[in-house]
Amino acid sequence: MNNWPLWEIFIRSRQGLDHKHVGSLHAADAQMAIENARDVYTRRMEGVSIWAVESTNIHASNPDEADSLYEPSNDKPYRHPTFYDIPKEIGHM
Amino acid sequence: MTQAQFQARIDADIKIEPKDWMPEAYRKTLIRQISQHAHSEIVGMLPEGNWITRAPSLRRKAILLAKIQDEAGHGLYLYSAAETLGKTRESMIDDLHTGKAKYSSIFNYPTLSWADMGSVGWLVDGAAIMNQVALCRTSYGPYARAMVRICKEESFHQRQGYEVIMTLCRGTAAQKQMAQESLNRWWWPALMMFGPKDEDSPNTEQAMKWRIKRFTNDELRQRFIDATVPQAEFLGLTIPDPDLKWNEERQHYDSGNINWEEFYQVIAGNGPCNTARLAARQKAHDEGEWVREAAMAYSKKQEQRNKQVA
């Protein structure tokens, strides 16, 4: 089994919710990845839908670059509703 | 699955997801509604873009930029949700440019003074939020999830708008006058944003049955009026509707008649800015052509280079 590729598994726990990453597994192809995911990750009805994505197809941001990547949002508090003083009398807005 | 089984799922409040079976008409209705919604976010950037360079302070410029940036993001969430139904991004954009697809009629009105930036946030975004909060519970999963994300981000839009108007109202008499005139311009078009009266809205009944819409146009419009009138009173502004008055029995405000002739004229393309808005979109699209090409060419070149290295 040394050459079976790695797959990332995403499960939708309930209709209406997003697929969420739950973990990964090895499988020869997509079909087997979904079947294995069913056996590994949904034994207790944890899901209604499975996505399997070959791990090599996931492109991730580099943690070492996190500072510069997210820095532009650091000095923009005005993107948050709490930045604005709305009088109490107006209530929720 | 049959139509009856599909309806049973809807009635049980089970969300519909992209790979689920759905009636063709449900799919078509959603594509129309979500893509129109996306177009509205994108075209909605134009009236505000008009004021970026003229916003009265660096603070206001930064806020306005952040808000317009959000609108672009909201357009993206919605186009993506519509794409899960099988329509391509390109064909949606084409439909906008050829006039086959509509967008919210409100964006065909001009933003004439700085106060209009306040009114757009307070009234236009306020009306949009009323509609969008209801859509967080719409029956199509990807649309509902996009709406949740949008509503979270939208709150600052309305608050900054109210703050702009409030600042003007606490300023000089001329500034307060500017706020009042802006309210006069935007009040009625904002009410039209909820769409035709229920009895003239042929799609409402089916959309309610499919729980795409959770409330009727008139219900949402009433809710908006009830929420907004006290906000105007607090500022000492007058809503430009002589028939507006609190109805103790209904526990709602009664209001005057909307000029529906104007609404249909704007929808038909005869509003003050329809031509300019579409021309601006078309121009941006055409002038971006070389960027799209260059990015693809660069990507192909990188791919080839990586192959050679391997």
Side-chain angles (χ1 to χ4, degrees), chain B residues 12-197:
Chain B
D13 254 333
I14 297 172
K15 295 269 190 262
I16 307 303
E17 296 292 349
K19 292 200 154 187
D20 296 339
W21 182 87
M22 60 186 86
E24 258 330 283
Y26 177 83
R27 183 185 301 274
K28 269 177 91 173
T29 303
L30 276 171
I31 289 176
R32 197 194 65 226
Q33 181 170 332
I34 302 173
S35 68
Q36 285 184 11
H37 199 158
H39 298 326
S40 302
E41 299 283 352
I42 299 300
V43 177
M45 293 194 281
L46 298 170
E48 294 185 302
N50 184 33
W51 280 93
I52 293 173
T53 57
R54 290 177 290 158
S57 67
L58 184 58
R59 181 182 184 274
R60 295 288 184 206
K61 277 190 175 69
I63 292 168
L64 195 55
L65 273 169
K67 180 175 187 301
I68 295 170
Q69 213 175 7
D70 275 358
E71 312 297 3
H74 297 173
L76 174 76
Y77 306 156
L78 288 161
Y79 281 129
S80 308
E83 281 176 285
T84 64
L85 291 158
K87 187 159 169 88
T88 66
R89 180 85 56 104
E90 244 180 348
S91 70
M92 284 186 264
I93 306 272
D94 276 351
D95 287 352
L96 171 66
H97 291 167
T98 57
K100 193 179 156 208
K102 303 287 182 204
Y103 53 88
S104 179
S105 58
I106 194 82
F107 300 117
N108 291 315
Y109 289 87
T111 44
L112 301 176
S113 76
W114 168 249
D116 287 352
M117 290 301 94
S119 295
V120 167
W122 172 33
L123 303 173
V124 175
D125 290 318
I129 289 170
M130 225 24 113
N131 191 28
Q132 289 171 341
V133 166
L135 283 171
C136 289
R137 290 173 54 234
T138 192
S139 60
Y140 186 58
Y143 192 23
R145 291 191 289 275
M147 286 329 305
V148 169
R149 190 176 283 264
I150 289 174
C151 284
K152 244 186 238 170
E153 297 179 353
E154 195 85 38
S155 165
F156 111 65
H157 296 187
Q158 193 188 14
R159 288 170 69 99
Q160 67 83 34
Y162 194 75
E163 195 196 63
V164 166
I165 294 289
M166 193 166 59
T167 307
L168 289 170
C169 288
R170 290 172 177 174
T172 64
Q175 284 169 328
K176 184 157 188 185
Q177 179 65 22
M178 193 196 283
Q180 180 63 56
E181 284 169 4
S182 180
L183 173 59
N184 295 349
R185 278 197 292 277
W186 290 93
W187 175 253
W188 291 104
L191 294 188
M192 293 176 199
M193 284 176 69
F194 296 94
K197 280 187 290 191

Side-chain angles (χ1 to χ4, degrees), chain A residues 11-14 16-20, chain B residues 17 145 149:
Chain A
I11 304 274
R12 186 201 299 289
S13 58
R14 196 157 55 77
L17 299 182
D18 291 305
H19 286 80
K20 237 185 159 170
Chain B
E17 296 292 349
R145 291 191 289 275
R149 190 176 283 264

Side-chain angles (χ1 to χ4, degrees), chain A residues 35-72:
Chain A
E35 281 166 11
N36 288 357
R38 181 210 42 200
D39 294 342
V40 177
Y41 292 111
T42 66
R43 287 195 304 281
R44 289 175 185 76
M45 306 284 293
E46 288 95 336
V48 295
S49 167
I50 298 170
W51 283 354
V53 182
E54 225 181 308
S55 306
T56 52
N57 286 327
I58 303 255
H59 300 269
S61 60
N62 182 351
D64 294 340
E65 290 168 4
D67 282 353
S68 60
L69 197 57
Y70 304 113
E71 187 275 334

